[in-house]
Amino acid sequence: MTLLSFFGCKNEPICTVNENNAGKEIYDLDEATCFIALKLNKKKSDLNLIRDALIAEMNYMEKTGLTSDNPNPENEPESNTELDINQMVEYALNEEKVKLSKDKLLEIYDTEIEYLMFIGVVEE
């Protein structure tokens, strides 16, 4: 199931976010991509770059032990690893070869926090 809807008309949004997912605590890559693109007033052509940035973030978090495949996080020991956004940006640029500037990556990752608030994973 994809939540993105693309339109050719300039007055229509490049994609749509399902408002019913608010507070559901389920991260959806396509929805996050769309949410960020809409917040940043990006074009349809920017969607793949935003998606690449988010995939690089997921890969970085997995590589550094910030994420786990364990569906029940209560059974996991507390992780002392903290997310260093600057290291993550360097990883995205140098390891994943994301074709965005450092500033654009920071803008995407900062805006992703709004998506995480939207789905109820983090609070202000």
mmCIF file of all heavy atoms in Angstrom, residues 3-29:
data_model
loop_
_atom_site.group_PDB
_atom_site.id
_atom_site.type_symbol
_atom_site.label_atom_id
_atom_site.label_comp_id
_atom_site.label_asym_id
_atom_site.label_seq_id
_atom_site.Cartn_x
_atom_site.Cartn_y
_atom_site.Cartn_z
ATOM 1 N N LEU A 3 1.100 5.421 0.045
ATOM 2 C CA LEU A 3 0.306 6.573 0.467
ATOM 3 C C LEU A 3 0.599 7.799 -0.372
ATOM 4 O O LEU A 3 0.068 8.861 -0.120
ATOM 5 C CB LEU A 3 0.586 6.876 1.934
ATOM 6 C CG LEU A 3 0.227 5.752 2.889
ATOM 7 C CD1 LEU A 3 0.704 6.073 4.286
ATOM 8 C CD2 LEU A 3 -1.259 5.506 2.878
ATOM 9 N N LEU A 4 1.469 7.646 -1.343
ATOM 10 C CA LEU A 4 1.807 8.784 -2.189
ATOM 11 C C LEU A 4 0.880 8.829 -3.393
ATOM 12 O O LEU A 4 0.615 7.828 -4.021
ATOM 13 C CB LEU A 4 3.246 8.681 -2.680
ATOM 14 C CG LEU A 4 4.328 8.640 -1.601
ATOM 15 C CD1 LEU A 4 5.688 8.484 -2.243
ATOM 16 C CD2 LEU A 4 4.296 9.898 -0.768
ATOM 17 N N SER A 5 0.401 9.994 -3.702
ATOM 18 C CA SER A 5 -0.404 10.196 -4.901
ATOM 19 C C SER A 5 0.228 11.332 -5.680
ATOM 20 O O SER A 5 0.411 12.416 -5.154
ATOM 21 C CB SER A 5 -1.836 10.575 -4.530
ATOM 22 O OG SER A 5 -2.428 9.564 -3.782
ATOM 23 N N PHE A 6 0.572 11.064 -6.928
ATOM 24 C CA PHE A 6 1.225 12.074 -7.743
ATOM 25 C C PHE A 6 0.231 12.645 -8.741
ATOM 26 O O PHE A 6 -0.560 11.923 -9.332
ATOM 27 C CB PHE A 6 2.417 11.473 -8.490
ATOM 28 C CG PHE A 6 3.460 10.941 -7.559
ATOM 29 C CD1 PHE A 6 3.547 9.590 -7.292
ATOM 30 C CD2 PHE A 6 4.353 11.799 -6.937
ATOM 31 C CE1 PHE A 6 4.503 9.098 -6.430
ATOM 32 C CE2 PHE A 6 5.306 11.313 -6.075
ATOM 33 C CZ PHE A 6 5.384 9.963 -5.822
ATOM 34 N N PHE A 7 0.326 13.952 -8.956
ATOM 35 C CA PHE A 7 -0.562 14.632 -9.885
ATOM 36 C C PHE A 7 0.268 15.477 -10.843
ATOM 37 O O PHE A 7 1.331 15.960 -10.489
ATOM 38 C CB PHE A 7 -1.532 15.556 -9.141
ATOM 39 C CG PHE A 7 -2.409 14.837 -8.174
ATOM 40 C CD1 PHE A 7 -2.060 14.751 -6.839
ATOM 41 C CD2 PHE A 7 -3.585 14.238 -8.593
ATOM 42 C CE1 PHE A 7 -2.864 14.076 -5.939
ATOM 43 C CE2 PHE A 7 -4.391 13.575 -7.699
ATOM 44 C CZ PHE A 7 -4.029 13.490 -6.367
ATOM 45 N N GLY A 8 -0.247 15.659 -12.044
ATOM 46 C CA GLY A 8 0.453 16.461 -13.033
ATOM 47 C C GLY A 8 0.117 17.938 -12.936
ATOM 48 O O GLY A 8 0.869 18.777 -13.378
ATOM 49 N N CYS A 9 -0.980 18.280 -12.378
ATOM 50 C CA CYS A 9 -1.438 19.663 -12.301
ATOM 51 C C CYS A 9 -0.622 20.445 -11.277
ATOM 52 O O CYS A 9 -0.368 19.964 -10.185
ATOM 53 C CB CYS A 9 -2.920 19.685 -11.934
ATOM 54 S SG CYS A 9 -3.614 21.325 -11.832
ATOM 55 N N LYS A 10 -0.243 21.664 -11.627
ATOM 56 C CA LYS A 10 0.591 22.465 -10.731
ATOM 57 C C LYS A 10 -0.134 22.875 -9.447
ATOM 58 O O LYS A 10 0.499 23.123 -8.447
ATOM 59 C CB LYS A 10 1.096 23.711 -11.448
ATOM 60 C CG LYS A 10 2.152 23.418 -12.474
ATOM 61 C CD LYS A 10 2.939 24.663 -12.758
ATOM 62 C CE LYS A 10 3.977 24.397 -13.813
ATOM 63 N NZ LYS A 10 5.255 24.031 -13.301
ATOM 64 N N ASN A 11 -1.464 22.926 -9.476
ATOM 65 C CA ASN A 11 -2.206 23.338 -8.289
ATOM 66 C C ASN A 11 -2.413 22.192 -7.306
ATOM 67 O O ASN A 11 -2.812 22.418 -6.180
ATOM 68 C CB ASN A 11 -3.570 23.916 -8.686
ATOM 69 C CG ASN A 11 -3.412 25.203 -9.465
ATOM 70 O OD1 ASN A 11 -2.413 25.890 -9.342
ATOM 71 N ND2 ASN A 11 -4.400 25.532 -10.274
ATOM 72 N N GLU A 12 -2.156 20.991 -7.738
ATOM 73 C CA GLU A 12 -2.339 19.820 -6.879
ATOM 74 C C GLU A 12 -1.041 19.511 -6.137
ATOM 75 O O GLU A 12 0.044 19.781 -6.631
ATOM 76 C CB GLU A 12 -2.741 18.610 -7.726
ATOM 77 C CG GLU A 12 -4.090 18.725 -8.389
ATOM 78 C CD GLU A 12 -5.239 18.719 -7.404
ATOM 79 O OE1 GLU A 12 -5.130 18.077 -6.346
ATOM 80 O OE2 GLU A 12 -6.256 19.377 -7.676
ATOM 81 N N PRO A 13 -1.144 18.915 -4.947
ATOM 82 C CA PRO A 13 0.074 18.549 -4.222
ATOM 83 C C PRO A 13 0.831 17.436 -4.955
ATOM 84 O O PRO A 13 0.230 16.665 -5.698
ATOM 85 C CB PRO A 13 -0.455 18.058 -2.870
ATOM 86 C CG PRO A 13 -1.880 17.690 -3.115
ATOM 87 C CD PRO A 13 -2.359 18.561 -4.241
ATOM 88 N N ILE A 14 2.140 17.358 -4.727
ATOM 89 C CA ILE A 14 2.961 16.333 -5.373
ATOM 90 C C ILE A 14 2.691 14.956 -4.789
ATOM 91 O O ILE A 14 2.986 13.946 -5.410
ATOM 92 C CB ILE A 14 4.461 16.666 -5.256
ATOM 93 C CG1 ILE A 14 4.885 16.791 -3.791
ATOM 94 C CG2 ILE A 14 4.793 17.902 -6.056
ATOM 95 C CD1 ILE A 14 6.393 16.894 -3.589
ATOM 96 N N CYS A 15 2.143 14.924 -3.580
ATOM 97 C CA CYS A 15 1.806 13.678 -2.906
ATOM 98 C C CYS A 15 0.865 14.021 -1.756
ATOM 99 O O CYS A 15 0.642 15.191 -1.477
ATOM 100 C CB CYS A 15 3.075 12.984 -2.395
ATOM 101 S SG CYS A 15 4.051 13.980 -1.237
ATOM 102 N N THR A 16 0.313 13.013 -1.120
ATOM 103 C CA THR A 16 -0.591 13.269 0.001
ATOM 104 C C THR A 16 -0.201 12.415 1.198
ATOM 105 O O THR A 16 0.326 11.317 1.043
ATOM 106 C CB THR A 16 -2.062 12.977 -0.368
ATOM 107 O OG1 THR A 16 -2.153 11.623 -0.812
ATOM 108 C CG2 THR A 16 -2.556 13.897 -1.462
ATOM 109 N N VAL A 17 -0.468 12.953 2.372
ATOM 110 C CA VAL A 17 -0.215 12.257 3.628
ATOM 111 C C VAL A 17 -1.569 11.856 4.205
ATOM 112 O O VAL A 17 -2.492 12.668 4.258
ATOM 113 C CB VAL A 17 0.533 13.175 4.628
ATOM 114 C CG1 VAL A 17 0.658 12.523 5.990
ATOM 115 C CG2 VAL A 17 1.902 13.542 4.072
ATOM 116 N N ASN A 18 -1.686 10.615 4.620
ATOM 117 C CA ASN A 18 -2.920 10.122 5.213
ATOM 118 C C ASN A 18 -3.042 10.648 6.641
ATOM 119 O O ASN A 18 -2.322 10.215 7.535
ATOM 120 C CB ASN A 18 -2.925 8.590 5.192
ATOM 121 C CG ASN A 18 -4.236 8.005 5.656
ATOM 122 O OD1 ASN A 18 -5.060 8.681 6.265
ATOM 123 N ND2 ASN A 18 -4.425 6.732 5.374
ATOM 124 N N GLU A 19 -3.948 11.578 6.844
ATOM 125 C CA GLU A 19 -4.132 12.191 8.170
ATOM 126 C C GLU A 19 -4.580 11.174 9.218
ATOM 127 O O GLU A 19 -4.417 11.389 10.415
ATOM 128 C CB GLU A 19 -5.146 13.347 8.091
ATOM 129 C CG GLU A 19 -4.687 14.515 7.236
ATOM 130 C CD GLU A 19 -3.461 15.222 7.789
ATOM 131 O OE1 GLU A 19 -3.308 15.322 9.021
ATOM 132 O OE2 GLU A 19 -2.645 15.684 6.974
ATOM 133 N N ASN A 20 -5.142 10.050 8.788
ATOM 134 C CA ASN A 20 -5.569 9.007 9.718
ATOM 135 C C ASN A 20 -4.392 8.327 10.409
ATOM 136 O O ASN A 20 -4.575 7.603 11.385
ATOM 137 C CB ASN A 20 -6.425 7.954 9.000
ATOM 138 C CG ASN A 20 -7.759 8.514 8.564
ATOM 139 O OD1 ASN A 20 -8.324 9.398 9.209
ATOM 140 N ND2 ASN A 20 -8.256 8.029 7.450
ATOM 141 N N ASN A 21 -3.190 8.527 9.900
ATOM 142 C CA ASN A 21 -2.014 7.912 10.510
ATOM 143 C C ASN A 21 -1.445 8.734 11.663
ATOM 144 O O ASN A 21 -0.501 8.298 12.317
ATOM 145 C CB ASN A 21 -0.929 7.676 9.452
ATOM 146 C CG ASN A 21 -1.321 6.583 8.484
ATOM 147 O OD1 ASN A 21 -2.136 5.718 8.799
ATOM 148 N ND2 ASN A 21 -0.771 6.623 7.292
ATOM 149 N N ALA A 22 -2.013 9.885 11.912
ATOM 150 C CA ALA A 22 -1.558 10.730 13.021
ATOM 151 C C ALA A 22 -1.668 9.953 14.327
ATOM 152 O O ALA A 22 -2.705 9.360 14.629
ATOM 153 C CB ALA A 22 -2.375 12.009 13.092
ATOM 154 N N GLY A 23 -0.592 9.937 15.085
ATOM 155 C CA GLY A 23 -0.588 9.295 16.394
ATOM 156 C C GLY A 23 -0.520 7.777 16.382
ATOM 157 O O GLY A 23 -0.580 7.154 17.433
ATOM 158 N N LYS A 24 -0.373 7.146 15.232
ATOM 159 C CA LYS A 24 -0.378 5.676 15.149
ATOM 160 C C LYS A 24 0.969 5.041 15.481
ATOM 161 O O LYS A 24 1.060 3.832 15.588
ATOM 162 C CB LYS A 24 -0.830 5.222 13.762
ATOM 163 C CG LYS A 24 -2.269 5.600 13.503
ATOM 164 C CD LYS A 24 -3.012 4.506 12.837
ATOM 165 C CE LYS A 24 -4.479 4.905 12.785
ATOM 166 N NZ LYS A 24 -5.188 4.274 11.754
ATOM 167 N N GLU A 25 2.008 5.853 15.630
ATOM 168 C CA GLU A 25 3.343 5.384 16.000
ATOM 169 C C GLU A 25 3.911 4.355 15.022
ATOM 170 O O GLU A 25 4.652 3.458 15.410
ATOM 171 C CB GLU A 25 3.348 4.824 17.429
ATOM 172 C CG GLU A 25 3.037 5.869 18.463
ATOM 173 C CD GLU A 25 3.191 5.370 19.884
ATOM 174 O OE1 GLU A 25 3.702 4.254 20.096
ATOM 175 O OE2 GLU A 25 2.800 6.111 20.797
ATOM 176 N N ILE A 26 3.551 4.475 13.760
ATOM 177 C CA ILE A 26 4.082 3.588 12.725
ATOM 178 C C ILE A 26 4.798 4.452 11.692
ATOM 179 O O ILE A 26 4.178 5.286 11.037
ATOM 180 C CB ILE A 26 2.960 2.761 12.064
ATOM 181 C CG1 ILE A 26 2.304 1.868 13.100
ATOM 182 C CG2 ILE A 26 3.518 1.944 10.901
ATOM 183 C CD1 ILE A 26 1.072 1.144 12.603
ATOM 184 N N TYR A 27 6.105 4.225 11.564
ATOM 185 C CA TYR A 27 6.923 4.979 10.612
ATOM 186 C C TYR A 27 6.773 4.356 9.237
ATOM 187 O O TYR A 27 7.004 3.169 9.054
ATOM 188 C CB TYR A 27 8.387 4.960 11.046
ATOM 189 C CG TYR A 27 9.277 5.856 10.211
ATOM 190 C CD1 TYR A 27 9.565 7.138 10.635
ATOM 191 C CD2 TYR A 27 9.825 5.416 9.009
ATOM 192 C CE1 TYR A 27 10.380 7.973 9.888
ATOM 193 C CE2 TYR A 27 10.638 6.242 8.252
ATOM 194 C CZ TYR A 27 10.915 7.517 8.700
ATOM 195 O OH TYR A 27 11.716 8.341 7.958
ATOM 196 N N ASP A 28 6.369 5.171 8.275
ATOM 197 C CA ASP A 28 6.226 4.720 6.895
ATOM 198 C C ASP A 28 7.144 5.577 6.039
ATOM 199 O O ASP A 28 6.992 6.804 5.996
ATOM 200 C CB ASP A 28 4.765 4.864 6.463
ATOM 201 C CG ASP A 28 4.535 4.397 5.050
ATOM 202 O OD1 ASP A 28 4.810 5.198 4.120
ATOM 203 O OD2 ASP A 28 4.084 3.257 4.867
ATOM 204 N N LEU A 29 8.085 4.936 5.359
ATOM 205 C CA LEU A 29 9.083 5.665 4.584
ATOM 206 C C LEU A 29 8.458 6.541 3.505
ATOM 207 O O LEU A 29 8.839 7.698 3.344
ATOM 208 C CB LEU A 29 10.087 4.681 3.961
ATOM 209 C CG LEU A 29 11.193 5.288 3.113
ATOM 210 C CD1 LEU A 29 12.068 6.233 3.933
ATOM 211 C CD2 LEU A 29 12.032 4.188 2.488
#
